[in-house]
Amino acid sequence: MDNEILQALRARKSVRVFTDEPVTPDERVAILQAAFQAPTAGNQQLYTILDITDPALKATLADLCDHQPFIEKAKLCLVFLADCRRWPRAYRAAGVAAPRDPGPGDLLLAMADACIAAQNAVTAAESLGIGSCYIGDVLENAEAMRKALALPSHVVPACMVVFGRPTDQQKARKKPVRFREEAVVCENTYRDRTEAQLREDFTLRGADLPEFDFDRYLQAFCQRKYDSDFSREMSRSAAVYLKDFM
Amino acid sequence: MDNEILQALRARKSVRVFTDEPVTPDERVAILQAAFQAPTAGNQQLYTILDITDPALKATLADLCDHQPFIEKAKLCLVFLADCRRWPRAYRAAGVAAPRDPGPGDLLLAMADACIAAQNAVTAAESLGIGSCYIGDVLENAEAMRKALALPSHVVPACMVVFGRPTDQQKARKKPVRFREEAVVCENTYRDRTEAQLREDFTLRGADLPEFDFDRYLQAFCQRKYDSDFSREMSRSAAVYLKDFM
């Protein structure tokens, strides 16, 4: 069971170092059009995409997104915003006296819409030889991010994606191994993995890492990622955005 | 600027009526593997996928998701759960004494991970001639949904996708027109569309609808969708899930 599209989805990996070659205007349009053509709840396109072209703003974003300078070097930089504002504004323009305020359900639906569109953009770019990297850190620093991107209420960064052609070194980089199916798929109902299963799941996934040790790996990952300053900041910041919807 | 992948992304439209032909075990694996190979924050795969095989459970989901009986007829039915539980459990298994509780940032990041994986599944299915439909309504009825799917705390439905081969009638159905670029893309910073621009954006998008009238269309859509019972229920229910993370 294989075809060109399955191969492309399998081969795609994040690219964080880009060549100097630009993303052309035609390529940019193809990437954006693929995003628009993604499935979207009720054909609403509950997102706005910011195309970041200003180098100073790119530098600000690189700083606000956990200080990742490679973001500045992106040839195309798109911020996918969950937008719960466009449709209520259109309702008002159409004479609906008082549409309800957007709630947390609207936000989560718009987050899904935005991420689904973003993944189509990523797949389209890949088909053109253009690599990409998601920047989840765009959720951090709500106050400064709102100011930098002029975000009004009910508009929340869902993800940022940076694009550019991979260097040879990036092309050669091995894609990290994913979990096997039984680690992340359950039949019908949710069941926790047992501690023994977790050890096996992570150990199989770590097969390509040098001298993988479950305890050491998870302890270090927890410290470096889950319990890091940026991760705590992400939850503080997300709560700021959520306040609009509660 | 065109290729097989761009064409496939453009052609894909939702399918809600399926032929009797099954999704084969090989096809199922190809769809799931494409989901696993999607970009994922820090290679964490912050999701669990429920493969709903039990007809009685499918019927329950059809009912809980705003009473959409076609869900029961799906040949493959996947619920993508944002899972903020697996990694903290693994941290504990690895001897981390007290990993912090998952916060709203963790939830939004996991929601993104789950939806990005879902869209790869959709694209993979499409390449095999298998249609799909997102069911955003899976966010509704948190209490009953948690019971039906045995969802523990910190595990939230991000989206559901049903799969099957399109009937001829579904193949012939026209894909709805999307907004033009300027309606959903801003350069650098967010700017509201003016009322005149909104009227134009929606009118262009409505070009294929019979006798499109901005006021009438938006008023009816607001009543039927945004201000509907299921939409209010979605926000009530989302707030129940969010409580875990606040």
Side-chain angles (χ1 to χ4, degrees):
Chain A
M1 184 102 331
D2 212 2
N3 61 46
E4 197 195 321
I5 291 176
L6 295 177
Q7 282 164 26
L9 296 177
R10 193 161 56 233
R12 189 271 171 198
K13 59 191 180 195
S14 295
V15 172
R16 292 184 184 79
V17 190
F18 308 113
T19 70
D20 290 335
E21 220 181 325
V23 172
T24 68
D26 280 357
E27 288 169 340
R28 174 188 169 282
V29 167
I31 290 168
L32 286 174
Q33 287 294 333
F36 304 159
Q37 291 299 328
T40 162
N43 196 31
Q44 291 174 90
Q45 296 177 261
L46 300 166
Y47 52 77
T48 289
I49 303 173
L50 302 183
D51 178 8
I52 311 296
T53 58
D54 175 11
L57 182 54
K58 257 188 221 177
T60 301
L61 291 180
D63 195 42
L64 290 179
C65 295
D66 196 34
H67 317 288
Q68 297 184 76
F70 82 94
I71 294 170
E72 279 185 72
K73 307 268 175 72
K75 301 302 163 191
L76 175 67
C77 175
L78 301 178
V79 180
F80 290 81
L81 303 168
D83 190 333
C84 299
R85 185 172 171 89
R86 179 186 301 115
W87 282 77
R89 289 191 73 248
Y91 296 142
R92 264 185 224 101
V96 177
R100 66 175 176 78
D101 284 334
D106 301 292
L107 173 62
L108 295 188
L109 197 65
M111 290 280 306
D113 245 37
C115 293
I116 289 165
Q119 183 54 13
N120 258 24
V122 161
T123 302
E126 190 73 11
S127 82
L128 300 168
I130 298 168
S132 57
C133 186
Y134 276 92
I135 313 289
D137 299 286
V138 75
L139 256 171
E140 297 160 23
N141 298 303
E143 298 84 355
M145 192 62 77
R146 277 178 161 167
K147 198 170 160 206
L149 301 178
L151 303 184
S153 59
H154 302 123
V155 174
V156 179
C159 60
M160 177 155 94
V161 187
V162 293
F163 299 88
R165 289 191 162 70
T167 60
D168 288 339
Q169 174 264 339
Q170 287 282 302
K171 279 186 199 162
R173 201 172 61 83
K174 220 174 152 292
K175 179 168 177 167
V177 174
R178 301 294 198 246
F179 287 117
R180 60 180 171 165
E181 181 183 321
E182 49 264 64
V184 289
V185 178
C186 295
E187 193 171 359
N188 291 317
T189 52
Y190 190 95
R191 280 175 301 282
D192 278 324
R193 303 292 284 169
T194 65
E195 187 175 319
Q197 286 171 333
L198 284 171
R199 285 184 178 271
E200 205 187 337
D201 294 340
F202 278 83
T203 303
L204 285 168
R205 175 180 169 283
D208 64 337
L209 301 177
E211 295 180 52
F212 181 84
D213 176 87
F214 178 83
D215 290 351
R216 252 197 342 250
Y217 175 84
L218 268 300
Q219 286 168 21
F221 197 93
C222 186
Q223 197 166 25
R224 187 164 56 85
K225 290 267 198 184
Y226 186 69
D227 236 343
S228 67
D229 288 345
F230 79 79
S231 183
R232 288 170 183 272
E233 165 54 25
M234 193 183 286
S235 275
R236 185 206 64 82
S237 176
V240 172
Y241 288 116
L242 279 172
K243 216 177 282 175
D244 273 2
F245 297 88
M246 304 309 268
Chain B
M1 185 104 329
D2 212 0
N3 62 45
E4 197 194 322
I5 291 176
L6 295 177
Q7 282 164 26
L9 297 177
R10 194 161 55 232
R12 189 269 171 200
K13 60 193 179 194
S14 294
V15 172
R16 293 184 182 81
V17 191
F18 308 114
T19 70
D20 289 336
E21 221 181 323
V23 171
T24 68
D26 280 358
E27 288 169 339
R28 175 189 169 281
V29 166
I31 290 167
L32 286 173
Q33 286 294 333
F36 305 158
Q37 290 298 329
T40 163
N43 196 30
Q44 291 174 91
Q45 296 177 260
L46 299 167
Y47 52 78
T48 289
I49 302 172
L50 302 183
D51 179 7
I52 312 296
T53 58
D54 175 10
L57 182 53
K58 257 188 220 178
T60 301
L61 291 180
D63 195 41
L64 291 178
C65 295
D66 195 34
H67 318 288
Q68 297 185 76
F70 81 93
I71 294 169
E72 279 186 70
K73 307 268 175 72
K75 300 302 162 190
L76 176 67
C77 175
L78 301 178
V79 180
F80 291 81
L81 304 168
D83 190 333
C84 299
R85 186 174 169 87
R86 178 185 302 115
W87 282 76
R89 288 189 75 248
Y91 296 141
R92 263 184 225 101
V96 177
R100 65 174 176 78
D101 284 333
D106 300 292
L107 172 61
L108 295 188
L109 198 64
M111 289 281 305
D113 245 37
C115 292
I116 290 165
Q119 184 53 13
N120 258 25
V122 162
T123 302
E126 190 71 12
S127 81
L128 300 168
I130 298 168
S132 57
C133 187
Y134 276 92
I135 313 288
D137 300 285
V138 74
L139 256 169
E140 296 159 24
N141 297 304
E143 299 83 356
M145 192 62 76
R146 276 179 163 165
K147 198 171 160 205
L149 302 178
L151 304 184
S153 60
H154 301 123
V155 174
V156 179
C159 59
M160 176 155 95
V161 187
V162 293
F163 300 86
R165 288 190 165 71
T167 60
D168 287 339
Q169 175 263 338
Q170 287 282 302
K171 278 185 198 161
R173 201 172 61 85
K174 220 174 152 291
K175 178 167 176 167
V177 174
R178 301 294 198 246
F179 287 117
R180 59 180 170 166
E181 180 183 321
E182 48 264 63
V184 289
V185 178
C186 295
E187 192 171 357
N188 292 316
T189 51
Y190 190 94
R191 279 175 302 280
D192 278 323
R193 302 292 282 168
T194 64
E195 189 176 316
Q197 286 171 333
L198 284 171
R199 286 185 176 269
E200 205 188 336
D201 294 342
F202 278 82
T203 303
L204 285 167
R205 175 180 169 284
D208 65 337
L209 301 177
E211 295 182 51
F212 180 85
D213 176 87
F214 178 83
D215 291 353
R216 254 195 343 250
Y217 175 85
L218 267 300
Q219 286 169 20
F221 197 94
C222 185
Q223 198 167 24
R224 187 166 56 85
K225 290 270 196 180
Y226 187 69
D227 236 343
S228 66
D229 288 346
F230 78 79
S231 183
R232 288 169 185 274
E233 165 54 25
M234 193 182 285
S235 276
R236 185 206 65 82
S237 176
V240 172
Y241 288 117
L242 279 171
K243 217 176 279 175
D244 274 4
F245 297 90
M246 305 308 269

